[in-house]
Structure formats: structure tokens, C-alpha cells
Amino acid sequence: MLFERIAATRRLKLTVLAAFGAGALAMYQPGQAQNAPVPSAGAPVAAPAAPVFPDAAATDPVAAGWMQGFPPAAAKVISFTPASNGFPRTRWSFSHIRELVPTASVWHGRGPVSALPRAERDIGGVPFTDADGTRRTFSDMLGLTYTDGILVMHKGRIVYEKYFGALDDHTPHIAMSVTKSFVGTLAAMLVADGKLDPAAPVTRYLPEMAGTAYGDATVREVMDMTVGVKYSENYADPKAEIWDYSRAGGMMPLEPGYAGPRTFYEFLATLKKDGEHDQVFAYKTVNAEVLAWIVKRVSGQSLARLLSERVWQKMGAENDAYFMVDSIGSESGGGGLNTTLRDLARFGETMRNGGRFNGRQVIPAEVVADIRRGGDPGKFAKAGYATLPGWSYRSMWWVSNDDHGVFEARGIHGQRIYVDPKAELTIVRYASHPIAANGANDPVTHRAYRALALSLMKLPNKPAS
Amino acid sequence: MLFERIAATRRLKLTVLAAFGAGALAMYQPGQAQNAPVPSAGAPVAAPAAPVFPDAAATDPVAAGWMQGFPPAAAKVISFTPASNGFPRTRWSFSHIRELVPTASVWHGRGPVSALPRAERDIGGVPFTDADGTRRTFSDMLGLTYTDGILVMHKGRIVYEKYFGALDDHTPHIAMSVTKSFVGTLAAMLVADGKLDPAAPVTRYLPEMAGTAYGDATVREVMDMTVGVKYSENYADPKAEIWDYSRAGGMMPLEPGYAGPRTFYEFLATLKKDGEHDQVFAYKTVNAEVLAWIVKRVSGQSLARLLSERVWQKMGAENDAYFMVDSIGSESGGGGLNTTLRDLARFGETMRNGGRFNGRQVIPAEVVADIRRGGDPGKFAKAGYATLPGWSYRSMWWVSNDDHGVFEARGIHGQRIYVDPKAELTIVRYASHPIAANGANDPVTHRAYRALALSLMKLPNKPAS
């Protein structure tokens, strides 16, 4: 149980990057078992004792027999009920979201599917030193971070592709907050189209938001998450707004007698201002939901249809993706997208290649360039992410501003698009880490990815097979 | 409002072919507005006064504005609640099932997509005389029967393809009881594999069904629906078991306090014997659900996966299909399949071509031959379907035994696979007819299809474009 040792040794150093995720399918009861304090500015947070979780091998969902048999044994059933929440069931449910809740399809189009050439390498043994100084290998990292699937592309070729447990190469897995980067990209594309003005007040597009926290915010503040809004993503707090959001969005089973909002729209209208806008990066899922609403209003299309027409079809996606939807069919732009790992890789490669993929300019080059230039590191620094020194946030992407130009889409249980332009490297990963905190992933994964990048940069070219 | 006139004039002649359908998404409140008496042997049924429905044009779901806007206007919202049930909302919801309930994907595979060559003809004007003696055209039939989409293939080529309202060429529409014919075909394929013995008792595969209506039934009796089981599909009766089935299967919103079964398995275990087996054809959706369970148990695969691997991938389907699932992810084999019309056409063509399609034997030839030979017309006749004289039922297909060898898969609101082997004709159709009774479709559609077959048979060959 390597992970537990790491968690224990790092317990007091965890600075938490809380992000959407625990809400989806309510993997956790509010207040249970999550060492996920609210991000605080600067100083390390004294987290509660790290919970002890069985390791990845011990929670393999196939070996565990979840949902096997017709019917499955009662103790092996996973359904959309409070009793079915939580790790380790998430190791199965993150690859089966549509069997639990209503969804909207992101059609892959009429093809042809774009090629993903292969030039496989045995990179499992690539060594790295984790944040605690322990020597590990790339393979170690996979288990330590409860990987469900990983795909590594180098110079446009698949060098490594592995699936574990309930995931395979054609089944969509929930992307959690990686969803936000899609929404931010779509918004930036509408800006490039001249249809959306980032300097405009939110209320130009959503007059309904007058009187809420967004009543005096701009679109750019929403895109870069510098809105002052009362909204907590502290998974350890049962009263945190993340739970109200999850209930309203149909991402969490409702208790009998629930009388709160039942749509994203209704929930967003309740949000109150807290502090000033444009001062500090404050990661809050509701911003992505507001941005998704703006994108729908401006484009006149559902998020599912817009993503299909503007991205999925153009990049030659291999499979349909889908969004979780609320009770009136509205997609969750905060965390509801589900894709195959291969199509996530296509999107990552599109971003790495300045918006070009599948022989065409899928995303305008200036959109990608603007995202990769990043946001304001000063506003980001005030948020106090110890594992992300020097980073910034732009159009719902995480930008390292490092010497490789690394940027990421990040989801709370270990979902990632990691692009290292200098190394010509794109890593996409789906995972079901038990801890809803990116501090549990970054100290291992970032070092593994950097080591891999440096290793691949040294290797001679290999012809694609 | 042509349809109303027809309904009125035919009111007393309607012999109802009740079939699964109204349960799905509970298009109707039990007991409301359905002139759907239980099939009775022989004599025409004196139906209650035919309800008056607005016609197809007046209920076009796009023109009506259902679910348009972000959010839609409150009066235009369709959700999975009792208030959202019923015609004309079904004109939208039948093409958006997955946005309302959980579903399981039938993966289309890695391609390539099989070609559907085109040789279009303007067949809209093909005349026919309906059962009332009125002269009509093929085009008239489309509106009269609330067609959402129709695709006609002649000699392996698309001669006609039209979509209306909420449907298009790549969106799945609910197939309702057409689902049963897929389940019956899969069962027959397992018989051909030697894995399933049709003469065996059901309890050999489902020991759980001992003590139920199926405790002394054979697999063949289930496949051909000659089981004596207490189960009413009378949509006009709020106490009919069709509603209990729909609630258990998650196809109908539950009222607060519901305490009944919440899975297909739990519901099937409650079924009691009524009469003797193997005496009379008795169309009851639960037989398809029991057969689906047998198919899953014998194959060791979910219905979604089995259909993908045995049919969808092999016939080169263009899009994923999907099944509605119950609260524990079990697919509805009685009516839960949703497909695009084009993939339904591929399946129909596979059946027309003796199981061959896409350059391969998708379904064993003997399986198709056995289905097309039909079941026992004597047992069928006892069920008293006035619109289907001389027909029989085999492995969940409807077989005309006529001079053209016509056979059909039939869904309650007008969904059809109509195969006329002699005319080398396959017609597939999705619809959202307000009346849950095939007697409202057959007197128009069967005559239109027959007229079209005869018309096409006279035409010279035309090269595919």
C-alpha cells in the first residue's frame, strides 16, 4: 500500500486544489472522509488525519466483481442511490456514468476517424524521484494514483496506452473538471468568432444573473475564475455549496423531501457575491457552469451539440462523448463530460499543435496561443497552491509558465490532459483516486511526467508503425 | 385533421394489438385516453370513443418549441416527471430518451461503416386505398401515422429517406417493441450456437423463476409468446401489470412513497400463471424481458454488449444504439432499445438477405429462415388480431405468411421494420402516434407498404448513385 505511506508522510503538506468531482454521482457523503480543506492563501493547511484507503490493486473493480452477473449479487450492485456512493465503487462508476444518470450525446460525426499512429515504447520503467525523495518508476505512478487509463503521445504518435479495471479504449470515462477546459475553449472560440465579448458584463448575455454574484462581473472574470462568489468546494463540509450544486444538477441522489433547486439555472440564480472580482484566482465550479450558460446562450446551441460540431466532428473523434444533464436536460459544464481516452488525446494533441489536428484548423490558433500564454500569475499565487508554484489560469486551463510551456486540464480524482509542447508530449489520464484533492496526485504525477518528457526528448526518432 | 376522421370511421373496428410502449417514459397516465382494450379472441372489440388528437403537423415538436432555449420556457420543458408525460411531448421525447433516463450503450465498433447506396425515387405519390376505401398516397400515410422518420430500401439501395420534427439521420429514436425482435433474434442465435436449448425449461437457465408463471414453461414458449401468465397490457386500465412493469424498469417516474419492485428481476419474480402454456399466442412484454434475462445468463454478457458484438459491429453500424436501463443497469429487452433509422435499416436488410450484410454472415442463415417460416398460425388466430389475418409469431417477429413473405418487427406507436422479400423491399419507420394501438397504424401503413412494393416491382432497375 504505497499510496498510504505517501499520504501519511505528506499529510501536513497537502495544499488542496479542490475542484469539481466529488459531486458527480456523489462519490462521497458530504463531510465524510475527505481531507479536502478549502484552499487558503499561502500557508500549508493542517489537514485532518489522512484517511487510509486500500490501494489500486485491491480496489480493481473487475476483480471486486462490481455489477457482474444477471442480476449482480446484492452486495455488488452500484446504483444511483446514497448507499452506492463512494470509493471504491467509483472505480467502476466513473466508467459507467450513463448507466446511472441521464446524459446528452456529443456525436462523433460521419467520420472518417482521424488516425492515431503508434510508435510504442516501454516507458514503464522511466524513473523519477517523488516529492518525498522516493525513487519510483512511471509504472509505480499509475497504481499510486489509481489510474483507470493512460495514453501518452509523443511527436504525434501513441507511445504508451494502458487500461485498468472497468475502462477500455472505447468506453467514455467521466472527465470531471477537465470538462471546464472544454467549456473555456468553446467560449474562447466564440470570442474569436466575434460573437462573445470577454469584456462585456455577464448580464449582457444572461440578464437573469442581475442581482447575483455575477451581476457586476465580466465574462473574462468568469473565464479566468476571478469572480468573488460565495461558493465553497470544501468536500469535508456538508454545508458547502458544492453539495447544493450537485443536487441541483442531478449529479447526486436526492434524499426524500428535497425541496431545493433541481436545475443548474435555478441554482446559479441563488449565488451571492463574496469579496471583489478580479483580485484573486478562486477556483469555483459554478464559474464553469455560468460560462457554459453563456456559451449556450451566445451560440444558440446546447453544449453537447456545439462541442460535437466545433470539435468532436472536426478532429475526427473515434466515439461519441456525452454530458451528464440535470432534470431538464442541461449539460453540466462544470464536470459532466465523459469521453474515451483516445478522443481526449486527440483534443490534447489539437491543443499541442496550435489548434491543428486531422489536417485542419479545429481551434483557431489565436485561441490556443492565448490560453498557453496563461493568466495572471499574481492572482493565481494568492490562491496558495503549493503544488503549482508559478502557475496561472486562463480560459479554464491551468498553465505552468515553466520552461517547457506545460499546460493542463485537471479533474479532481486524477483526470488530466497534460501537454508539454517543448517535449512534443501529450499525456491524458483517467483515474478514480479516492482523495478528492489534486495535492494527492501532483507530487507524484507531475514529477513522473517531467521525467518522462526529459527521457523521451533524449531518444532518437522511431518510425511510426 | 385527416387522422381523426379515419379514427372516427374506424372506431368500432379497431382490434387492438397492444404492445409495449406506453410504459416507456410513461407517455400516458394509466387509464387516460387510450382506446386500447385487451386483445380478445376473434370478434371486434367495441372500443370507447376514439380520442381526438391534433394532427402530425400541429404537433411538430420543433414548431411547438419543446425544449428550445437555455433554459426552455417553463411551459416548454419536458422532464422525467408525471407532468411531462404524454402526447404531444412524446413527439420530442421519443428522440431524446437518453436525456431523460439512464441508458447503456450499444457500441458501433471500430468501423468501417457499411455503405447504404442510394437510388432515390419520388415515391411520395404512390397511391393506395386504405381500409376504409379512401384513396391516399404514400406521403399522406406519413402524416396520418405521425411519422418521425422513414427509410425505404429497395434492392439494397435507399430509395427514400425522410425525417420530421425532432428526428434526424443520426439521432437514436426509441424502438419500443421492435426491441423484442432483436432479443428474439439474439436468442435464436444462441440456439444456433448450441448454447441455448429452446426445448429446455426456463428454469434450467433461470432457477429463480421456479414458482412463477415461468416455472413450467419452455424457452420456446417464451420466444413465441405462448406462455400463460397473468399480465395485462391494457393501457386503459390503471391496474394493468404493464404499469407495474414500467415502474419497476425505471421507464416511468415514480410517485412519492412507491414501494414496489425497482428492477426487472424483482418484477419478473412476481409473475403468476394464468391458463396453460403452448395453447394460444398471447402478446405480453414480460416474455421479452424473461427472454432477455435468459440471453444474458446464457451468453454471460449484457444485452447491450451482446448486441454490439454479435450484430452492431458486424453489420457495420453507423452509430451507437442504446438501451434504457432499470435502477441497477439492466437493459429493457421488452422495449428499451433506441437506434438510428439507418442502423435499423441495416438490420432489416440483414434479415431480408438471409442474415448476410456488410459482406459477411451477421446472423446464421438458419436463424433467419426459421423466423421467416413463422410460428403456428392456429395459435396466433386465437388471439384475434383483425388487422393481421393469417399471421403468426416466431422468435419475437411477426410473420405474415403471405405471398410476398412479409415479416415485421412492430412497436406500439408506429415503429416498424417491414420486410417484403419478394419485392426486395425493407421499410423502417419511427413514429410517435398518439394512440398506443397498432390498429391505428396497420389499416393505413400495411396498404401503403403493399402498394409501394407492387409499384417498385414494376419499375426498371436504376443504377445506384
Side-chain angles (χ1 to χ4, degrees), chain A residues 67 70-71 77 79 98-100 102-103 105 107 110 169-170 265 293 296-297 301-302 319 322 327-328, chain B residues 67 70-71 77 79 98-100 102-103 105 107 110 169-170 265 293 297 301-302 319 322 327-328:
Chain A
M67 294 298 274
F70 308 102
V77 165
S79 61
R98 71 175 288 169
E99 295 162 40
L100 298 163
T103 54
S105 178
W107 185 46
R110 300 185 196 283
D169 66 8
H170 61 274
Y265 302 109
W293 189 0
K296 288 186 269 189
R297 186 63 65 74
Q301 294 188 296
S302 70
N319 282 289
Y322 63 82
S327 68
I328 62 167
Chain B
M67 293 298 275
F70 308 102
V77 165
S79 60
R98 69 174 288 170
E99 294 162 40
L100 298 163
T103 54
S105 177
W107 185 46
R110 303 186 193 281
D169 66 9
H170 62 272
Y265 301 111
W293 189 0
R297 187 61 67 75
Q301 293 187 295
S302 70
N319 282 289
Y322 64 81
S327 67
I328 62 166

Side-chain angles (χ1 to χ4, degrees), chain B residues 111-112 114 309-316 350 353-364:
Chain B
S114 57
E309 294 189 358
R310 295 294 299 259
V311 180
W312 236 244
Q313 295 186 44
K314 291 195 172 172
M315 73 180 191
T350 304
N353 291 318
R356 279 195 73 82
F357 194 76
N358 193 26
R360 70 184 69 174
Q361 194 72 36
V362 176
I363 301 168

Side-chain angles (χ1 to χ4, degrees), chain B residues 104-449:
Chain B
S105 177
V106 179
W107 185 46
H108 73 291
R110 303 186 193 281
V113 171
S114 57
L116 289 181
R118 304 188 84 90
E120 296 189 47
R121 296 184 187 273
D122 182 11
I123 60 172
V126 171
F128 68 98
T129 303
D130 79 11
D132 277 342
T134 307
R135 289 291 285 177
R136 304 191 180 279
T137 65
F138 193 84
S139 286
D140 295 338
M141 176 272 296
L142 301 179
L144 286 169
T145 53
Y146 297 81
T147 301
D148 296 324
I150 188 162
L151 197 160
V152 178
M153 298 200 68
H154 183 228
K155 298 186 177 180
R157 297 161 188 173
I158 295 176
V159 294
Y160 193 78
E161 182 180 19
K162 277 213 186 287
Y163 299 93
F164 304 89
L167 194 61
D168 58 34
D169 66 9
H170 62 272
T171 297
H173 185 290
I174 189 159
M176 299 277 177
S177 292
V178 168
T179 307
K180 297 179 174 70
S181 303
F182 284 92
V183 173
T185 304
L186 289 171
M189 291 168 78
L190 293 173
V191 170
D193 291 347
K195 292 179 183 163
L196 176 63
D197 179 2
V202 168
T203 52
R204 178 186 299 176
Y205 306 104
L206 307 178
E208 296 95 329
M209 292 302 281
T212 75
Y214 295 84
D216 59 351
T218 67
V219 172
R220 174 48 66 194
E221 287 158 0
V222 176
M223 292 172 77
D224 293 353
M225 295 220 194
T226 58
V227 175
V229 53
K230 182 175 175 334
Y231 178 86
S232 163
E233 304 219 14
N234 179 358
Y235 298 116
D237 176 6
K239 294 192 190 302
E241 287 84 359
I242 180 72
W243 305 113
D244 299 323
Y245 162 80
S246 299
R247 289 184 193 98
M251 293 176 283
M252 188 172 168
L254 301 178
E255 299 290 344
Y258 174 79
R262 287 179 182 262
T263 71
F264 288 121
Y265 301 111
E266 290 173 11
F267 175 74
L268 295 177
T270 69
L271 293 167
K272 297 299 175 202
K273 197 168 178 182
D274 184 20
E276 293 305 309
H277 305 321
D278 198 30
Q279 301 300 307
V280 56
F281 169 62
Y283 182 87
K284 298 183 177 184
T285 289
V286 284
N287 291 315
E289 223 56 77
V290 169
L291 189 60
W293 189 0
I294 292 171
V295 162
K296 288 186 267 190
R297 187 61 67 75
V298 168
S299 69
Q301 293 187 295
S302 70
L303 215 51
R305 183 156 189 163
L306 187 67
L307 184 59
S308 169
E309 294 189 358
R310 295 294 299 259
V311 180
W312 236 244
Q313 295 186 44
K314 291 195 172 172
M315 73 180 191
E318 197 167 325
N319 282 289
D320 296 346
Y322 64 81
F323 282 97
M324 298 171 75
V325 297
D326 68 12
S327 67
I328 62 166
S330 310
E331 305 96 335
S332 161
L337 183 64
N338 295 254
T339 80
T340 64
L341 203 55
R342 287 187 179 175
D343 288 330
L344 196 67
R346 286 181 171 88
F347 184 65
E349 281 287 280
T350 304
M351 294 297 292
R352 184 181 71 79
N353 291 318
R356 279 195 73 82
F357 194 76
N358 193 26
R360 70 184 69 174
Q361 194 72 36
V362 176
I363 301 168
E366 71 262 31
V367 166
V368 178
D370 179 78
I371 288 168
R372 286 163 59 163
R373 273 193 297 273
D376 182 337
K379 288 174 188 159
F380 189 93
K382 292 182 197 169
Y385 292 99
T387 65
L388 303 173
W391 287 54
S392 64
Y393 193 79
R394 181 71 170 177
S395 299
M396 309 221 160
W397 286 85
W398 303 80
V399 183
S400 77
N401 309 304
D402 73 4
D403 60 334
H404 279 206
V406 164
F407 60 103
E408 282 191 315
R410 298 165 60 90
I412 191 63
H413 293 275
Q415 302 87 346
R416 288 288 186 283
I417 303 172
Y418 178 94
V419 181
D420 179 336
K422 186 171 181 186
E424 300 171 87
L425 174 69
T426 297
I427 302 171
V428 290
R429 192 171 81 101
Y430 280 136
S432 45
H433 200 297
I435 298 186
N438 285 325
N441 280 291
D442 290 338
V444 185
T445 54
H446 273 165
R447 286 162 181 261
Y449 296 166

Side-chain angles (χ1 to χ4, degrees), chain A residues 257-293:
Chain A
Y258 174 79
R262 287 178 182 262
T263 72
F264 289 122
Y265 302 109
E266 289 173 12
F267 176 74
L268 295 177
T270 70
L271 293 168
K272 297 299 173 202
K273 196 168 178 183
D274 184 18
E276 293 306 307
H277 305 321
D278 199 30
Q279 301 301 308
V280 57
F281 168 62
Y283 183 87
K284 299 183 176 185
T285 289
V286 283
N287 291 315
E289 221 58 75
V290 170
L291 189 60
W293 189 0

